[in-house]
Amino acid sequence: MKRIVLLRHGESIWNRENRFTGWTDVDLTDVGVQEAAAAGEALKAEGFAFARAYTSYLKRAVKTLDTVLDVLDRDWIPVEKSWRLNEKHYGALQGLNKSETAARYGEEQVRIWRRSYDVAPEPLAEDDPRNPVFDVRYNGVPDPYLPRTESLKETIARMLPYWECVIFPALKRENELLVVAHGNSLRGVIKHLKGLSDEEIVRLNLPTAVPYVFEFDEGMRLQNDFFLGDPEAIRAKMEAVANQGKR
C-alpha cells in the first residue's frame, strides 16, 4: 500500500479576514498554527512516516508543513518547493473582502469568480506591484508562465505537469508522501486522481489543515480516499469555506 496525504494550509490571516488571497504571501494565524499541529498529531496517531514532502512558495503552506513535520519528528526529510503548487491567482480581487465583494457585485458573481471552472477574475495590470514578475522568488520562472489571474482550469494546467512528472513518480520509489498546498491547487490534484467532472470539482470545498489520505496499490491504482478526523467537524469546516462568498 502506498499513500499520499494532501493537506491544505492552516487558517491564514486573510482567511480570518475573509479576503481573496491567491499569490499574496500572508502568514498563518495562531489558530492556523494550532490547526497545523493538530493535523500533525492526527497523522502521528495513524502512524504516518513520510519519506518526502512537497509544498508551494507561499508562507502559509510552508509554515503548515514545517509545523506538521515538527510534530512528526520528521523535520529531516527532503522537502521540495514549487511555484506550481501555489494557490489559484485571483488577479485584481486579491486583498478584497469576499462578503463586501458579494454585496457589491452579487453572490452569484463572486461564486463564479471563486468556484467556476473556467472563468478567471480581472487580471492584475502589468505595472501592478503585486504582479509576480516583480517578486524575487519567481525570478527563475519565465514571464509567460507567471499568471496575472487564473481560472481553476488554468491553475490545474500549471499544477498538473509537476504532479505527473515529479510527485506521483516519487510514489513509485517511496511509500508515503505529503503535499501541503492550497485549496485550489489541491482541488486540481483531487480532480485528476478521482476523475471528477468540471461540475463536480466546483462543488468541492477543502477545509483548512484536515489531512486527506489517498491510498494506492502497488500498481499505482487508487484504492481509497478519506479525510482524517471527525466527519461532522470536517463537514462544518467545508460549509464555512463554501459560505465565505456570501453577503
Side-chain angles (χ1 to χ4, degrees):
M1 180 76 66
K2 292 176 176 288
R3 301 191 289 185
I4 288 181
V5 174
L6 306 181
L7 184 67
R8 185 185 174 194
H9 60 80
E11 181 192 68
S12 74
I13 293 171
W14 279 14
N15 286 148
R16 184 180 61 196
E17 296 177 358
N18 200 24
R19 297 180 184 275
F20 290 99
T21 309
W23 282 37
T24 309
D25 201 17
V26 299
D27 209 340
L28 295 177
T29 63
D30 290 342
V31 169
V33 174
Q34 293 167 9
E35 287 181 329
E41 294 292 350
L43 292 165
K44 186 175 182 179
E46 294 295 321
F48 280 89
F50 300 107
R52 184 175 293 270
Y54 302 86
T55 190
S56 74
Y57 276 5
L58 300 172
K59 183 184 298 184
R60 57 194 186 273
V62 174
K63 283 198 171 182
T64 298
L65 174 59
D66 289 345
T67 302
V68 170
L69 293 182
D70 185 56
V71 171
L72 293 173
D73 196 24
R74 297 190 74 83
D75 312 70
W76 52 271
I77 68 171
V79 172
E80 184 171 319
K81 300 181 179 72
S82 175
W83 65 275
R84 290 185 180 273
L85 291 174
N86 278 16
E87 177 60 297
K88 167 184 169 181
H89 198 299
Y90 277 100
L93 292 177
Q94 293 186 164
L96 298 181
N97 179 279
K98 295 172 186 175
S99 295
E100 292 173 0
T101 306
R104 180 176 178 181
Y105 295 102
E107 290 183 7
E108 178 59 20
Q109 181 60 66
V110 171
R111 187 196 67 79
I112 291 171
W113 284 331
R114 291 186 68 223
R115 288 295 180 258
S116 66
Y117 183 65
D118 56 5
V119 177
E122 286 296 312
L124 294 176
E126 287 301 311
D127 61 352
D128 192 307
R130 297 172 295 172
N131 188 328
V133 298
F134 301 125
D135 193 322
V136 65
R137 79 192 79 187
Y138 306 116
N139 281 353
V141 183
D143 185 291
Y145 290 134
L146 291 174
R148 279 61 163 174
T149 186
E150 285 179 308
S151 64
L152 178 59
K153 181 179 180 180
E154 291 165 328
T155 304
I156 294 173
R158 55 109 162 140
M159 177 281 303
L160 206 52
Y162 186 71
W163 174 266
E164 293 182 325
C165 297
V166 177
I167 299 178
F168 201 62
L171 194 60
K172 296 178 181 179
R173 304 185 299 271
E174 312 288 358
N175 288 325
E176 293 179 346
L177 302 177
L178 174 61
V179 181
V180 180
H182 306 266
N184 286 293
S185 54
L186 292 179
R187 287 202 300 152
V189 174
I190 295 163
K191 184 181 192 299
H192 175 68
L193 287 177
K194 299 188 69 173
L196 300 180
S197 69
D198 298 350
E199 293 74 25
E200 288 171 321
I201 197 60
V202 163
R203 295 193 294 271
L204 175 65
N205 293 286
L206 282 182
T208 53
V210 176
Y212 193 177
V213 183
F214 287 77
E215 298 180 334
F216 304 83
D217 63 20
E218 293 302 318
M220 307 301 290
R221 293 177 292 268
L222 180 62
Q223 300 297 302
N224 194 21
D225 64 282
F226 55 92
F227 287 100
L228 282 183
D230 175 67
E232 288 302 317
I234 293 170
R235 187 175 299 110
K237 292 187 76 171
M238 287 179 165
E239 289 176 357
V241 174
N243 289 334
Q244 288 173 353
K246 295 185 177 181
R247 294 174 185 266

